[in-house]
Amino acid sequence: MVVLPWSQLVVAVVAACPAFVLSSPLLGVTKSCAHSVKEQVYHPHGWTIDGAAPPDHILKLQIYLPQPNFHELEQALYQVSDPDHENYGLHLSKDDVESLVAPSSDSLTLVDEWLVSHGLDASSLSRSPSKDWVSIHVPVQKAEEMLRTKYHVWKHIASGSTLIRTTSYSLPTALHRHVDVIQPTTSFARAGPFSTIFRLETEEFEAPPPNAPAIVANGGLKVDAACNTSITITCLQQLYNAVGVKPSAKNGNEIGITGYLGQFASTSDLQLFFANQTPAAVGSSFKFVSVNGGLNNQSSPGVEANLDTQFAFGLSHPAPATFWSTAGSPPFIPDVGTPTDTNEPYTEWLNFILAQKSIPQTISTSYGDDEQTVPLSFAQRVCNGFAQLGARGVSVIFSSGDGGVGDGDANPATQECFTNDGRNATRFAPAFPASCPFVTSVGATFHVPEVSVSFSGGGFSNVFPRPSYQDAAVGTFLRTLPKGKFAGLFNPAGRGIPDVSAQGVNFRIFFNGRQGGVSGTSAASPAFAGIISLVNDARLSKRLPPLGFLNPLIYKLPFAFNDITAGNNPGCGTEGFNATKGWDPISGLGTPDFRKLAEILAL
């Protein structure tokens, strides 16, 4: 492993400003100023330096300014999401949210002065509507000058993918409190889909004999025996008590799926899927939206995109559906000087969607990465963005990960689960953004009756503390955990994941005109989102507001979920956590019962 000496990582912790002058009286400097390290990280295990970054490669730097009133937005989010609060369902408008996340005038002035001092035209730069971030395009050489750092090309040893990153950067000391974080700098996240490889079926899916008796699901419902072979829309409707539901296409309910990393959703495969599983939807499709130059390459569909759109939109039909294609896909390509492969793509989508006036009420994302590869400051800002969506009445749903309690490697024998703090200690590795307390994370089950599947990501955040809505459920689980079990391997005070579960094994999809099976929590997330969209449909049809941020609500309705009490999620050399009665860090509260939810929430 190649590690740079500290003298190369931090260039001048305290140094004079360059020839330019930051003369604002607010900054308290005249002809010189001290610089100090703003952020420093250890590079994640499994990465090595592969050379200096090309000086002319263009970086798209996102500079996030502090949100001094975010605590007020968070308070409002919990009020509109708590069914016991008088403000439940009174979601905030786009303007309301933007006013609560706007930076101070001092921060705006000082950051602009700093940018101007480096030769940038502050008036022409891209900003969020609330001005809580500003985006600049600069070559590596300029970024190194501005941040007093050195960028390198880093290679991920296992996959060979590469990123341009640094492990430390500096700012004028007096500017620190006016900048939350700048990226891409220290984040080594490799956001990817949480699903196994598509398995093409050379023959028709094996069906049980015609006289095979129905099997009984966890909630006592009868389910076709074929659902133990492969999962279809019908299976999910039977399992989650949504048979015969007839949603509206005209009450304003909408659903959306995010797509990243060159994953394109095939409209022709969608029609084959509809013809096979949802005949009433044949002829309908989704609205395609490009984010940051995202393409719509119908000749190169992605398994993940097909899985997500087919099941989420098949379950929620006829709700209008949207698929966002967001550009940005590492690895770095030295001879292409574009900025689209430098940022984590879900931040590009988040910045885009927050600027929209109208947003679908249910959004599912089946991507993520190990939490510890995302610096704390950046994780908090991304998570705060999801809080803004929740405050506006959007249910933000994420897969919980496919590494059990481990680091994303599907083979427990090879999981290393090393910490990134220089100790290389073994520790469970939860996924992000699933660990953000402002999203609903979904684990995976299989079989009927349902059992938690071994790859289902679960555990406790090492970044985010346990939110109050989890105190009772998670506290009960921790009290049942044998004393000393997994001591030092997880953070018992952290946010627990997942929140809920859904089927996640052998989903029957169409890909390039052929049927095949896909497994992963990336299947569970759109399945759960489809059920939530049906609940939103029932509410909107009765002129009730959408559910919005789900977690404060669902933790008060455990009886509306099918409790999963079998299964475990091994990793990091352990058997992982067991599914037990009540909430647990593999199945969460369990799988949804649509009619119970609708009877309570759409009276």
Side-chain angles (χ1 to χ4, degrees), residues 492-517:
R495 184 269 203 268
I497 59 173
D499 299 298
V500 292
S501 291
Q503 284 276 326
V505 173
N506 206 19
F507 274 47
R508 187 193 302 185
I509 73 163
F510 278 80
F511 178 66
N512 282 329
R514 303 288 298 276
Q515 289 192 74

mmCIF file with all atom_site columns, all heavy atoms in Angstrom, residues 492-517:
data_model
loop_
_atom_site.group_PDB
_atom_site.id
_atom_site.type_symbol
_atom_site.label_atom_id
_atom_site.label_alt_id
_atom_site.label_comp_id
_atom_site.label_asym_id
_atom_site.label_entity_id
_atom_site.label_seq_id
_atom_site.pdbx_PDB_ins_code
_atom_site.Cartn_x
_atom_site.Cartn_y
_atom_site.Cartn_z
_atom_site.occupancy
_atom_site.B_iso_or_equiv
_atom_site.pdbx_formal_charge
_atom_site.auth_seq_id
_atom_site.auth_comp_id
_atom_site.auth_asym_id
_atom_site.auth_atom_id
_atom_site.pdbx_PDB_model_num
ATOM 1   N N   . PRO A 1 492 ? -23.711 0.710   19.150  1.00 0.00 ? 492 PRO A N   1
ATOM 2   C CA  . PRO A 1 492 ? -25.083 0.534   19.647  1.00 0.00 ? 492 PRO A CA  1
ATOM 3   C C   . PRO A 1 492 ? -25.858 1.836   19.772  1.00 0.00 ? 492 PRO A C   1
ATOM 4   O O   . PRO A 1 492 ? -27.084 1.809   19.898  1.00 0.00 ? 492 PRO A O   1
ATOM 5   C CB  . PRO A 1 492 ? -24.882 -0.125  21.021  1.00 0.00 ? 492 PRO A CB  1
ATOM 6   C CG  . PRO A 1 492 ? -23.494 0.236   21.413  1.00 0.00 ? 492 PRO A CG  1
ATOM 7   C CD  . PRO A 1 492 ? -22.703 0.323   20.150  1.00 0.00 ? 492 PRO A CD  1
ATOM 8   N N   . ALA A 1 493 ? -25.165 2.966   19.710  1.00 0.00 ? 493 ALA A N   1
ATOM 9   C CA  . ALA A 1 493 ? -25.854 4.258   19.778  1.00 0.00 ? 493 ALA A CA  1
ATOM 10  C C   . ALA A 1 493 ? -26.171 4.802   18.395  1.00 0.00 ? 493 ALA A C   1
ATOM 11  O O   . ALA A 1 493 ? -26.725 5.897   18.269  1.00 0.00 ? 493 ALA A O   1
ATOM 12  C CB  . ALA A 1 493 ? -25.003 5.275   20.541  1.00 0.00 ? 493 ALA A CB  1
ATOM 13  N N   . GLY A 1 494 ? -25.847 4.041   17.356  1.00 0.00 ? 494 GLY A N   1
ATOM 14  C CA  . GLY A 1 494 ? -26.032 4.524   15.997  1.00 0.00 ? 494 GLY A CA  1
ATOM 15  C C   . GLY A 1 494 ? -27.412 4.266   15.438  1.00 0.00 ? 494 GLY A C   1
ATOM 16  O O   . GLY A 1 494 ? -28.180 3.446   15.967  1.00 0.00 ? 494 GLY A O   1
ATOM 17  N N   . ARG A 1 495 ? -27.732 4.943   14.368  1.00 0.00 ? 495 ARG A N   1
ATOM 18  C CA  . ARG A 1 495 ? -28.993 4.754   13.642  1.00 0.00 ? 495 ARG A CA  1
ATOM 19  C C   . ARG A 1 495 ? -29.044 3.311   13.133  1.00 0.00 ? 495 ARG A C   1
ATOM 20  O O   . ARG A 1 495 ? -28.105 2.818   12.495  1.00 0.00 ? 495 ARG A O   1
ATOM 21  C CB  . ARG A 1 495 ? -29.025 5.744   12.472  1.00 0.00 ? 495 ARG A CB  1
ATOM 22  C CG  . ARG A 1 495 ? -30.318 5.759   11.631  1.00 0.00 ? 495 ARG A CG  1
ATOM 23  C CD  . ARG A 1 495 ? -30.242 4.796   10.457  1.00 0.00 ? 495 ARG A CD  1
ATOM 24  N NE  . ARG A 1 495 ? -31.153 5.141   9.372   1.00 0.00 ? 495 ARG A NE  1
ATOM 25  C CZ  . ARG A 1 495 ? -32.393 4.690   9.224   1.00 0.00 ? 495 ARG A CZ  1
ATOM 26  N NH1 . ARG A 1 495 ? -32.891 3.830   10.106  1.00 0.00 ? 495 ARG A NH1 1
ATOM 27  N NH2 . ARG A 1 495 ? -33.113 5.064   8.187   1.00 0.00 ? 495 ARG A NH2 1
ATOM 28  N N   . GLY A 1 496 ? -30.107 2.598   13.437  1.00 0.00 ? 496 GLY A N   1
ATOM 29  C CA  . GLY A 1 496 ? -30.233 1.212   13.031  1.00 0.00 ? 496 GLY A CA  1
ATOM 30  C C   . GLY A 1 496 ? -30.804 1.079   11.628  1.00 0.00 ? 496 GLY A C   1
ATOM 31  O O   . GLY A 1 496 ? -31.672 1.849   11.225  1.00 0.00 ? 496 GLY A O   1
ATOM 32  N N   . ILE A 1 497 ? -30.287 0.119   10.870  1.00 0.00 ? 497 ILE A N   1
ATOM 33  C CA  . ILE A 1 497 ? -30.829 -0.186  9.538   1.00 0.00 ? 497 ILE A CA  1
ATOM 34  C C   . ILE A 1 497 ? -30.967 -1.704  9.410   1.00 0.00 ? 497 ILE A C   1
ATOM 35  O O   . ILE A 1 497 ? -30.243 -2.444  10.067  1.00 0.00 ? 497 ILE A O   1
ATOM 36  C CB  . ILE A 1 497 ? -29.941 0.381   8.405   1.00 0.00 ? 497 ILE A CB  1
ATOM 37  C CG1 . ILE A 1 497 ? -28.508 -0.180  8.485   1.00 0.00 ? 497 ILE A CG1 1
ATOM 38  C CG2 . ILE A 1 497 ? -29.937 1.876   8.414   1.00 0.00 ? 497 ILE A CG2 1
ATOM 39  C CD1 . ILE A 1 497 ? -27.641 0.193   7.311   1.00 0.00 ? 497 ILE A CD1 1
ATOM 40  N N   . PRO A 1 498 ? -31.935 -2.162  8.593   1.00 0.00 ? 498 PRO A N   1
ATOM 41  C CA  . PRO A 1 498 ? -32.896 -1.373  7.824   1.00 0.00 ? 498 PRO A CA  1
ATOM 42  C C   . PRO A 1 498 ? -34.106 -0.992  8.666   1.00 0.00 ? 498 PRO A C   1
ATOM 43  O O   . PRO A 1 498 ? -34.222 -1.392  9.825   1.00 0.00 ? 498 PRO A O   1
ATOM 44  C CB  . PRO A 1 498 ? -33.300 -2.342  6.713   1.00 0.00 ? 498 PRO A CB  1
ATOM 45  C CG  . PRO A 1 498 ? -33.253 -3.692  7.381   1.00 0.00 ? 498 PRO A CG  1
ATOM 46  C CD  . PRO A 1 498 ? -32.072 -3.614  8.333   1.00 0.00 ? 498 PRO A CD  1
ATOM 47  N N   . ASP A 1 499 ? -34.995 -0.239  8.042   1.00 0.00 ? 499 ASP A N   1
ATOM 48  C CA  . ASP A 1 499 ? -36.249 0.114   8.709   1.00 0.00 ? 499 ASP A CA  1
ATOM 49  C C   . ASP A 1 499 ? -37.328 -0.929  8.436   1.00 0.00 ? 499 ASP A C   1
ATOM 50  O O   . ASP A 1 499 ? -38.153 -1.222  9.308   1.00 0.00 ? 499 ASP A O   1
ATOM 51  C CB  . ASP A 1 499 ? -36.731 1.489   8.229   1.00 0.00 ? 499 ASP A CB  1
ATOM 52  C CG  . ASP A 1 499 ? -35.745 2.581   8.555   1.00 0.00 ? 499 ASP A CG  1
ATOM 53  O OD1 . ASP A 1 499 ? -35.497 2.803   9.752   1.00 0.00 ? 499 ASP A OD1 1
ATOM 54  O OD2 . ASP A 1 499 ? -35.202 3.193   7.618   1.00 0.00 ? 499 ASP A OD2 1
ATOM 55  N N   . VAL A 1 500 ? -37.333 -1.462  7.212   1.00 0.00 ? 500 VAL A N   1
ATOM 56  C CA  . VAL A 1 500 ? -38.360 -2.413  6.780   1.00 0.00 ? 500 VAL A CA  1
ATOM 57  C C   . VAL A 1 500 ? -37.704 -3.409  5.827   1.00 0.00 ? 500 VAL A C   1
ATOM 58  O O   . VAL A 1 500 ? -36.508 -3.337  5.555   1.00 0.00 ? 500 VAL A O   1
ATOM 59  C CB  . VAL A 1 500 ? -39.515 -1.684  6.046   1.00 0.00 ? 500 VAL A CB  1
ATOM 60  C CG1 . VAL A 1 500 ? -40.296 -0.800  6.995   1.00 0.00 ? 500 VAL A CG1 1
ATOM 61  C CG2 . VAL A 1 500 ? -38.973 -0.879  4.872   1.00 0.00 ? 500 VAL A CG2 1
ATOM 62  N N   . SER A 1 501 ? -38.503 -4.326  5.300   1.00 0.00 ? 501 SER A N   1
ATOM 63  C CA  . SER A 1 501 ? -38.004 -5.294  4.336   1.00 0.00 ? 501 SER A CA  1
ATOM 64  C C   . SER A 1 501 ? -39.057 -5.574  3.270   1.00 0.00 ? 501 SER A C   1
ATOM 65  O O   . SER A 1 501 ? -40.218 -5.184  3.402   1.00 0.00 ? 501 SER A O   1
ATOM 66  C CB  . SER A 1 501 ? -37.637 -6.618  5.021   1.00 0.00 ? 501 SER A CB  1
ATOM 67  O OG  . SER A 1 501 ? -36.504 -6.486  5.839   1.00 0.00 ? 501 SER A OG  1
ATOM 68  N N   . ALA A 1 502 ? -38.606 -6.270  2.230   1.00 0.00 ? 502 ALA A N   1
ATOM 69  C CA  . ALA A 1 502 ? -39.487 -6.803  1.204   1.00 0.00 ? 502 ALA A CA  1
ATOM 70  C C   . ALA A 1 502 ? -38.739 -7.926  0.512   1.00 0.00 ? 502 ALA A C   1
ATOM 71  O O   . ALA A 1 502 ? -37.511 -8.076  0.681   1.00 0.00 ? 502 ALA A O   1
ATOM 72  C CB  . ALA A 1 502 ? -39.897 -5.723  0.199   1.00 0.00 ? 502 ALA A CB  1
ATOM 73  N N   . GLN A 1 503 ? -39.464 -8.723  -0.257  1.00 0.00 ? 503 GLN A N   1
ATOM 74  C CA  . GLN A 1 503 ? -38.824 -9.805  -1.005  1.00 0.00 ? 503 GLN A CA  1
ATOM 75  C C   . GLN A 1 503 ? -37.649 -9.256  -1.827  1.00 0.00 ? 503 GLN A C   1
ATOM 76  O O   . GLN A 1 503 ? -37.709 -8.149  -2.357  1.00 0.00 ? 503 GLN A O   1
ATOM 77  C CB  . GLN A 1 503 ? -39.830 -10.466 -1.939  1.00 0.00 ? 503 GLN A CB  1
ATOM 78  C CG  . GLN A 1 503 ? -40.808 -11.390 -1.247  1.00 0.00 ? 503 GLN A CG  1
ATOM 79  C CD  . GLN A 1 503 ? -40.273 -12.796 -1.029  1.00 0.00 ? 503 GLN A CD  1
ATOM 80  O OE1 . GLN A 1 503 ? -39.511 -13.326 -1.822  1.00 0.00 ? 503 GLN A OE1 1
ATOM 81  N NE2 . GLN A 1 503 ? -40.687 -13.407 0.072   1.00 0.00 ? 503 GLN A NE2 1
ATOM 82  N N   . GLY A 1 504 ? -36.575 -10.074 -1.953  1.00 0.00 ? 504 GLY A N   1
ATOM 83  C CA  . GLY A 1 504 ? -35.417 -9.589  -2.693  1.00 0.00 ? 504 GLY A CA  1
ATOM 84  C C   . GLY A 1 504 ? -34.663 -10.679 -3.437  1.00 0.00 ? 504 GLY A C   1
ATOM 85  O O   . GLY A 1 504 ? -33.502 -10.480 -3.785  1.00 0.00 ? 504 GLY A O   1
ATOM 86  N N   . VAL A 1 505 ? -35.286 -11.819 -3.698  1.00 0.00 ? 505 VAL A N   1
ATOM 87  C CA  . VAL A 1 505 ? -34.583 -12.924 -4.346  1.00 0.00 ? 505 VAL A CA  1
ATOM 88  C C   . VAL A 1 505 ? -35.364 -13.405 -5.569  1.00 0.00 ? 505 VAL A C   1
ATOM 89  O O   . VAL A 1 505 ? -36.569 -13.653 -5.505  1.00 0.00 ? 505 VAL A O   1
ATOM 90  C CB  . VAL A 1 505 ? -34.354 -14.093 -3.361  1.00 0.00 ? 505 VAL A CB  1
ATOM 91  C CG1 . VAL A 1 505 ? -33.781 -15.307 -4.077  1.00 0.00 ? 505 VAL A CG1 1
ATOM 92  C CG2 . VAL A 1 505 ? -33.419 -13.653 -2.240  1.00 0.00 ? 505 VAL A CG2 1
ATOM 93  N N   . ASN A 1 506 ? -34.634 -13.535 -6.668  1.00 0.00 ? 506 ASN A N   1
ATOM 94  C CA  . ASN A 1 506 ? -35.144 -14.125 -7.909  1.00 0.00 ? 506 ASN A CA  1
ATOM 95  C C   . ASN A 1 506 ? -36.386 -13.404 -8.442  1.00 0.00 ? 506 ASN A C   1
ATOM 96  O O   . ASN A 1 506 ? -37.419 -14.010 -8.709  1.00 0.00 ? 506 ASN A O   1
ATOM 97  C CB  . ASN A 1 506 ? -35.451 -15.615 -7.731  1.00 0.00 ? 506 ASN A CB  1
ATOM 98  C CG  . ASN A 1 506 ? -35.351 -16.370 -9.053  1.00 0.00 ? 506 ASN A CG  1
ATOM 99  O OD1 . ASN A 1 506 ? -34.740 -15.892 -10.008 1.00 0.00 ? 506 ASN A OD1 1
ATOM 100 N ND2 . ASN A 1 506 ? -35.949 -17.544 -9.106  1.00 0.00 ? 506 ASN A ND2 1
ATOM 101 N N   . PHE A 1 507 ? -36.251 -12.090 -8.633  1.00 0.00 ? 507 PHE A N   1
ATOM 102 C CA  . PHE A 1 507 ? -37.303 -11.308 -9.265  1.00 0.00 ? 507 PHE A CA  1
ATOM 103 C C   . PHE A 1 507 ? -37.264 -11.580 -10.765 1.00 0.00 ? 507 PHE A C   1
ATOM 104 O O   . PHE A 1 507 ? -36.217 -11.460 -11.407 1.00 0.00 ? 507 PHE A O   1
ATOM 105 C CB  . PHE A 1 507 ? -37.089 -9.817  -9.015  1.00 0.00 ? 507 PHE A CB  1
ATOM 106 C CG  . PHE A 1 507 ? -37.678 -9.330  -7.712  1.00 0.00 ? 507 PHE A CG  1
ATOM 107 C CD1 . PHE A 1 507 ? -37.481 -10.026 -6.520  1.00 0.00 ? 507 PHE A CD1 1
ATOM 108 C CD2 . PHE A 1 507 ? -38.418 -8.165  -7.667  1.00 0.00 ? 507 PHE A CD2 1
ATOM 109 C CE1 . PHE A 1 507 ? -38.010 -9.580  -5.329  1.00 0.00 ? 507 PHE A CE1 1
ATOM 110 C CE2 . PHE A 1 507 ? -38.965 -7.696  -6.476  1.00 0.00 ? 507 PHE A CE2 1
ATOM 111 C CZ  . PHE A 1 507 ? -38.765 -8.413  -5.307  1.00 0.00 ? 507 PHE A CZ  1
ATOM 112 N N   . ARG A 1 508 ? -38.409 -11.899 -11.319 1.00 0.00 ? 508 ARG A N   1
ATOM 113 C CA  . ARG A 1 508 ? -38.475 -12.252 -12.737 1.00 0.00 ? 508 ARG A CA  1
ATOM 114 C C   . ARG A 1 508 ? -38.605 -10.971 -13.566 1.00 0.00 ? 508 ARG A C   1
ATOM 115 O O   . ARG A 1 508 ? -39.662 -10.328 -13.595 1.00 0.00 ? 508 ARG A O   1
ATOM 116 C CB  . ARG A 1 508 ? -39.662 -13.167 -13.015 1.00 0.00 ? 508 ARG A CB  1
ATOM 117 C CG  . ARG A 1 508 ? -39.672 -13.713 -14.449 1.00 0.00 ? 508 ARG A CG  1
ATOM 118 C CD  . ARG A 1 508 ? -40.995 -14.345 -14.802 1.00 0.00 ? 508 ARG A CD  1
ATOM 119 N NE  . ARG A 1 508 ? -41.365 -15.438 -13.914 1.00 0.00 ? 508 ARG A NE  1
ATOM 120 C CZ  . ARG A 1 508 ? -42.445 -16.209 -14.090 1.00 0.00 ? 508 ARG A CZ  1
ATOM 121 N NH1 . ARG A 1 508 ? -43.247 -15.980 -15.121 1.00 0.00 ? 508 ARG A NH1 1
ATOM 122 N NH2 . ARG A 1 508 ? -42.720 -17.178 -13.244 1.00 0.00 ? 508 ARG A NH2 1
ATOM 123 N N   . ILE A 1 509 ? -37.522 -10.605 -14.251 1.00 0.00 ? 509 ILE A N   1
ATOM 124 C CA  . ILE A 1 509 ? -37.538 -9.398  -15.074 1.00 0.00 ? 509 ILE A CA  1
ATOM 125 C C   . ILE A 1 509 ? -37.287 -9.759  -16.536 1.00 0.00 ? 509 ILE A C   1
ATOM 126 O O   . ILE A 1 509 ? -36.949 -10.902 -16.865 1.00 0.00 ? 509 ILE A O   1
ATOM 127 C CB  . ILE A 1 509 ? -36.475 -8.376  -14.608 1.00 0.00 ? 509 ILE A CB  1
ATOM 128 C CG1 . ILE A 1 509 ? -35.059 -8.847  -14.994 1.00 0.00 ? 509 ILE A CG1 1
ATOM 129 C CG2 . ILE A 1 509 ? -36.578 -8.098  -13.126 1.00 0.00 ? 509 ILE A CG2 1
ATOM 130 C CD1 . ILE A 1 509 ? -34.019 -7.747  -14.952 1.00 0.00 ? 509 ILE A CD1 1
ATOM 131 N N   . PHE A 1 510 ? -37.455 -8.764  -17.395 1.00 0.00 ? 510 PHE A N   1
ATOM 132 C CA  . PHE A 1 510 ? -37.082 -8.893  -18.809 1.00 0.00 ? 510 PHE A CA  1
ATOM 133 C C   . PHE A 1 510 ? -35.866 -8.023  -19.065 1.00 0.00 ? 510 PHE A C   1
ATOM 134 O O   . PHE A 1 510 ? -35.810 -6.868  -18.635 1.00 0.00 ? 510 PHE A O   1
ATOM 135 C CB  . PHE A 1 510 ? -38.244 -8.477  -19.713 1.00 0.00 ? 510 PHE A CB  1
ATOM 136 C CG  . PHE A 1 510 ? -39.262 -9.562  -19.901 1.00 0.00 ? 510 PHE A CG  1
ATOM 137 C CD1 . PHE A 1 510 ? -40.227 -9.805  -18.930 1.00 0.00 ? 510 PHE A CD1 1
ATOM 138 C CD2 . PHE A 1 510 ? -39.249 -10.354 -21.045 1.00 0.00 ? 510 PHE A CD2 1
ATOM 139 C CE1 . PHE A 1 510 ? -41.169 -10.812 -19.094 1.00 0.00 ? 510 PHE A CE1 1
ATOM 140 C CE2 . PHE A 1 510 ? -40.190 -11.364 -21.222 1.00 0.00 ? 510 PHE A CE2 1
ATOM 141 C CZ  . PHE A 1 510 ? -41.152 -11.596 -20.244 1.00 0.00 ? 510 PHE A CZ  1
ATOM 142 N N   . PHE A 1 511 ? -34.904 -8.603  -19.782 1.00 0.00 ? 511 PHE A N   1
ATOM 143 C CA  . PHE A 1 511 ? -33.664 -7.898  -20.110 1.00 0.00 ? 511 PHE A CA  1
ATOM 144 C C   . PHE A 1 511 ? -33.229 -8.324  -21.501 1.00 0.00 ? 511 PHE A C   1
ATOM 145 O O   . PHE A 1 511 ? -33.037 -9.518  -21.755 1.00 0.00 ? 511 PHE A O   1
ATOM 146 C CB  . PHE A 1 511 ? -32.584 -8.229  -19.072 1.00 0.00 ? 511 PHE A CB  1
ATOM 147 C CG  . PHE A 1 511 ? -31.260 -7.592  -19.353 1.00 0.00 ? 511 PHE A CG  1
ATOM 148 C CD1 . PHE A 1 511 ? -31.111 -6.208  -19.290 1.00 0.00 ? 511 PHE A CD1 1
ATOM 149 C CD2 . PHE A 1 511 ? -30.153 -8.362  -19.684 1.00 0.00 ? 511 PHE A CD2 1
ATOM 150 C CE1 . PHE A 1 511 ? -29.885 -5.621  -19.543 1.00 0.00 ? 511 PHE A CE1 1
ATOM 151 C CE2 . PHE A 1 511 ? -28.926 -7.785  -19.929 1.00 0.00 ? 511 PHE A CE2 1
ATOM 152 C CZ  . PHE A 1 511 ? -28.788 -6.403  -19.867 1.00 0.00 ? 511 PHE A CZ  1
ATOM 153 N N   . ASN A 1 512 ? -33.121 -7.341  -22.392 1.00 0.00 ? 512 ASN A N   1
ATOM 154 C CA  . ASN A 1 512 ? -32.784 -7.630  -23.791 1.00 0.00 ? 512 ASN A CA  1
ATOM 155 C C   . ASN A 1 512 ? -33.721 -8.681  -24.395 1.00 0.00 ? 512 ASN A C   1
ATOM 156 O O   . ASN A 1 512 ? -33.309 -9.573  -25.138 1.00 0.00 ? 512 ASN A O   1
ATOM 157 C CB  . ASN A 1 512 ? -31.332 -8.078  -23.929 1.00 0.00 ? 512 ASN A CB  1
ATOM 158 C CG  . ASN A 1 512 ? -30.368 -6.911  -23.863 1.00 0.00 ? 512 ASN A CG  1
ATOM 159 O OD1 . ASN A 1 512 ? -30.702 -5.800  -24.268 1.00 0.00 ? 512 ASN A OD1 1
ATOM 160 N ND2 . ASN A 1 512 ? -29.171 -7.162  -23.340 1.00 0.00 ? 512 ASN A ND2 1
ATOM 161 N N   . GLY A 1 513 ? -34.994 -8.584  -24.016 1.00 0.00 ? 513 GLY A N   1
ATOM 162 C CA  . GLY A 1 513 ? -35.999 -9.461  -24.598 1.00 0.00 ? 513 GLY A CA  1
ATOM 163 C C   . GLY A 1 513 ? -36.119 -10.827 -23.983 1.00 0.00 ? 513 GLY A C   1
ATOM 164 O O   . GLY A 1 513 ? -36.966 -11.626 -24.408 1.00 0.00 ? 513 GLY A O   1
ATOM 165 N N   . ARG A 1 514 ? -35.303 -11.137 -22.996 1.00 0.00 ? 514 ARG A N   1
ATOM 166 C CA  . ARG A 1 514 ? -35.336 -12.462 -22.367 1.00 0.00 ? 514 ARG A CA  1
ATOM 167 C C   . ARG A 1 514 ? -35.682 -12.337 -20.892 1.00 0.00 ? 514 ARG A C   1
ATOM 168 O O   . ARG A 1 514 ? -35.372 -11.343 -20.237 1.00 0.00 ? 514 ARG A O   1
ATOM 169 C CB  . ARG A 1 514 ? -33.965 -13.147 -22.507 1.00 0.00 ? 514 ARG A CB  1
ATOM 170 C CG  . ARG A 1 514 ? -33.472 -13.290 -23.939 1.00 0.00 ? 514 ARG A CG  1
ATOM 171 C CD  . ARG A 1 514 ? -34.261 -14.345 -24.703 1.00 0.00 ? 514 ARG A CD  1
ATOM 172 N NE  . ARG A 1 514 ? -34.123 -15.654 -24.110 1.00 0.00 ? 514 ARG A NE  1
ATOM 173 C CZ  . ARG A 1 514 ? -33.102 -16.483 -24.359 1.00 0.00 ? 514 ARG A CZ  1
ATOM 174 N NH1 . ARG A 1 514 ? -32.116 -16.116 -25.165 1.00 0.00 ? 514 ARG A NH1 1
ATOM 175 N NH2 . ARG A 1 514 ? -33.058 -17.676 -23.800 1.00 0.00 ? 514 ARG A NH2 1
ATOM 176 N N   . GLN A 1 515 ? -36.295 -13.387 -20.364 1.00 0.00 ? 515 GLN A N   1
ATOM 177 C CA  . GLN A 1 515 ? -36.587 -13.414 -18.936 1.00 0.00 ? 515 GLN A CA  1
ATOM 178 C C   . GLN A 1 515 ? -35.381 -13.894 -18.145 1.00 0.00 ? 515 GLN A C   1
ATOM 179 O O   . GLN A 1 515 ? -34.590 -14.706 -18.632 1.00 0.00 ? 515 GLN A O   1
ATOM 180 C CB  . GLN A 1 515 ? -37.761 -14.357 -18.645 1.00 0.00 ? 515 GLN A CB  1
ATOM 181 C CG  . GLN A 1 515 ? -39.101 -13.847 -19.104 1.00 0.00 ? 515 GLN A CG  1
ATOM 182 C CD  . GLN A 1 515 ? -40.230 -14.676 -18.542 1.00 0.00 ? 515 GLN A CD  1
ATOM 183 O OE1 . GLN A 1 515 ? -40.532 -14.553 -17.362 1.00 0.00 ? 515 GLN A OE1 1
ATOM 184 N NE2 . GLN A 1 515 ? -40.845 -15.492 -19.373 1.00 0.00 ? 515 GLN A NE2 1
ATOM 185 N N   . GLY A 1 516 ? -35.271 -13.389 -16.930 1.00 0.00 ? 516 GLY A N   1
ATOM 186 C CA  . GLY A 1 516 ? -34.190 -13.826 -16.049 1.00 0.00 ? 516 GLY A CA  1
ATOM 187 C C   . GLY A 1 516 ? -34.497 -13.452 -14.624 1.00 0.00 ? 516 GLY A C   1
ATOM 188 O O   . GLY A 1 516 ? -35.482 -12.756 -14.349 1.00 0.00 ? 516 GLY A O   1
ATOM 189 N N   . GLY A 1 517 ? -33.659 -13.903 -13.719 1.00 0.00 ? 517 GLY A N   1
ATOM 190 C CA  . GLY A 1 517 ? -33.866 -13.630 -12.308 1.00 0.00 ? 517 GLY A CA  1
ATOM 191 C C   . GLY A 1 517 ? -32.809 -12.700 -11.752 1.00 0.00 ? 517 GLY A C   1
ATOM 192 O O   . GLY A 1 517 ? -31.634 -12.791 -12.112 1.00 0.00 ? 517 GLY A O   1
#
